[in-house]
Amino acid sequence: MKFLLIMHVNPQVWDGLTEEQRNAVMNGHGAFMETIKKSGELIETAALGDPSESAVVRVRGGVPAVTDGPYLEAKEYFGGYYLVEVENRERALELAALIPDAAVDGLGIEVRPVVFSATGED
């Protein structure tokens, strides 16, 4: 089963951490990636840029309208993900608990099953 382990970022929470705490989270991702690479469960991972660097495209009346900034004004933003293939939901939840962000007050990992996926080669 494939699951998306979604990391949400709250800039206020992140800015409230000490540099040592932020480094521990960042370095913890390296160890987590090694764990899921060795187990063969990692399919893909990505970290996203700051929401202020994003753009939203909407087509209205056949004309694209582009606005800068995040899709929604929110306290939390989609910061990145791990796409994993695991035996069951319980294992996905176990892996989510190993992601360092899960141990930070005010942050968490959303675990969502993948119901369809394709690649550029499909």
Side-chain angles (χ1 to χ4, degrees), residues 42-119:
L42 176 64
I43 296 172
E44 178 180 295
T45 185
L48 302 178
D50 190 88
S52 65
E53 298 176 27
S54 67
V56 178
V57 178
R58 292 179 175 89
V59 179
R60 301 294 182 263
V63 178
V66 180
T67 55
D68 290 336
Y71 180 71
L72 297 172
E73 290 297 321
K75 291 181 183 178
E76 294 182 347
Y77 297 96
F78 181 27
Y81 66 87
Y82 291 98
L83 178 60
V84 297
E85 187 158 8
V86 294
E87 184 176 333
N88 53 39
R89 181 177 186 268
E90 289 72 28
R91 178 59 179 160
L93 296 172
E94 288 174 14
L95 292 179
L98 296 176
I99 297 173
D101 306 53
V104 176
D105 285 341
L107 301 181
I109 308 301
E110 181 180 348
V111 178
R112 189 178 296 183
V114 175
V115 296
F116 173 81
S117 65
T119 67

